[in-house]
Amino acid sequence: MDTISRRNFIETATVAAAASVVGADATKQETAPKPANRIILLPKLPFAENSLAPIISAETIGFHYGKHHTGYVAALNAMLPGSKYAGMTLEEIIVASKADNAAPFFNNAAQIWNHTFYWDSLAPAGSGGKPSKALGEVLSKTFGSVENCARLLAESANKRFGCGWAWLLVRDNKLVIESTSNADTPLTEKGVTPLLCVDVWEHAYYLDYQNRRAAYTQAVTEKLLNWGKASFRYAKRSV
Ligand code: MN
C-alpha cells in the first residue's frame, strides 16, 4: 500500500471507528460472523490533542497518536490478508500470535491495544476523577494511599530498561504494579485486569522531556491518570 492509499485507508478506518462507537454492541460483535477481510480500526483519541498540555504537548500527541499508533494499525492491516489471523478481532490476534511466537503480528497488534489503553488511562488535568470508594479502599490498603500508588507506578516505569510499559493491574484479585518490555501486554494473561498504564517508549516523552523520563512519569502519574476509568475497570474486573 503506498503512502497516499494508506493515509486514506486510515482516515476511512478512523471515521468508521468513530461511527461504530455510537450504538456499539459488544455482544453482537462477539457473535457476528468473522469476515476474512475484517480490518483493525484505529480508535478515536478520547481527548483533544492539546488537552494534556503542558504535561504532554499537542506535538507529542500528534506524533504519538498520528504516526506511531496509526502506523501500527496500518502495518497490521497490511499483513493480515491471507494470513491465519485474517478475520480475527484485535484481542484474538494478540493471543494467537503470542502463542505462535509470530513477532511481527504480535508486536503491531499488542502495540495497537496498549496505545488505546494508554489513551484511556489519561485525562486532561483535573478531569480524570478520583478512585471509587471500592478502588480507593483497596489502593490505600495495598499501597498506603492513592498518591503512593501513583509514585510506585512512576518508579516502575522509570526502572523499565529500554522501551516498555508500566501497569496498575488486578492480578488474582490483588492490586499490583508491574512493567512489560517492548510490546508485551498483560492482556494475554488469565486472571489479570489492567486498570492503568504508562507508555515509557521514548516517543512518549522525548519531544517534551528529552532524556528526563522521571519528570514525564512523575507529571503523568500525579496529574493525568484517569482514575474514573480505572474505577470502572476495577468494578468490571474478572474474578
Ligand atoms: Mn507509544
Side-chain angles (χ1 to χ4, degrees):
M1 200 184 290
D2 64 34
T3 309
I4 299 295
S5 313
R6 182 169 294 167
R7 191 180 305 134
N8 290 341
F9 171 75
I10 291 300
E11 280 167 3
T12 306
T14 307
V15 170
S20 72
V21 170
V22 180
D25 185 335
T27 315
K28 268 188 190 156
Q29 223 169 22
E30 285 306 311
T31 54
K34 294 177 178 177
N37 61 350
R38 184 204 295 265
I39 61 165
I40 301 304
L41 301 176
L42 176 70
K44 205 168 179 287
L45 203 58
F47 40 72
E49 286 192 2
N50 63 357
S51 64
L52 304 184
I55 294 164
I56 303 177
S57 67
E59 190 186 18
T60 290
I61 300 290
F63 277 97
H64 200 172
Y65 176 73
K67 303 291 182 190
H68 292 275
H69 196 178
T70 301
Y72 295 125
V73 173
L76 181 63
N77 280 316
M79 285 191 280
L80 285 177
S83 76
K84 68 177 279 191
Y85 308 106
M88 292 185 183
T89 65
L90 183 64
E91 288 78 5
E92 288 168 343
I93 295 168
I94 292 169
V95 171
S97 63
K98 173 90 175 172
D100 296 342
N101 213 12
F105 288 93
F106 175 78
N107 287 337
N108 284 291
Q111 281 294 80
I112 295 167
W113 193 91
N114 288 347
H115 279 88
T116 300
F117 197 87
Y118 173 58
W119 308 129
D120 256 352
S121 295
L122 305 180
S127 70
K130 289 188 172 156
S132 63
K133 189 166 179 287
L135 178 58
E137 279 172 8
V138 72
L139 280 168
S140 294
K141 199 173 147 205
T142 309
F143 303 111
S145 65
V146 177
E147 292 72 23
N148 205 42
C149 171
R151 196 181 60 74
L152 292 168
L153 183 61
E155 192 177 289
S156 172
N158 297 342
K159 283 183 179 163
R160 165 54 46 195
F161 185 78
C163 292
W165 301 82
W167 303 87
L168 174 64
L169 308 167
V170 185
R171 178 186 289 285
D172 301 327
N173 218 23
K174 289 190 182 122
L175 288 189
V176 289
I177 289 169
E178 298 176 2
S179 77
T180 55
S181 176
N182 295 321
D184 278 346
T185 176
L187 179 70
T188 53
E189 296 182 67
K190 295 266 183 256
V192 170
T193 303
L195 300 183
L196 293 169
C197 78
V198 177
D199 187 342
V200 281
W201 283 56
E202 285 188 344
H203 64 229
Y205 59 89
Y206 222 83
L207 289 174
D208 299 327
Y209 297 87
Q210 292 78 50
N211 61 320
R212 294 176 294 119
R213 182 192 282 189
Y216 154 76
T217 60
Q218 183 182 356
V220 165
T221 55
E222 283 182 359
K223 308 250 174 65
L224 299 185
L225 291 180
N226 195 329
W227 286 109
K229 282 194 182 164
S231 301
F232 177 78
R233 294 184 190 112
Y234 183 71
K236 300 267 176 195
R237 69 195 181 278
S238 49
V239 288

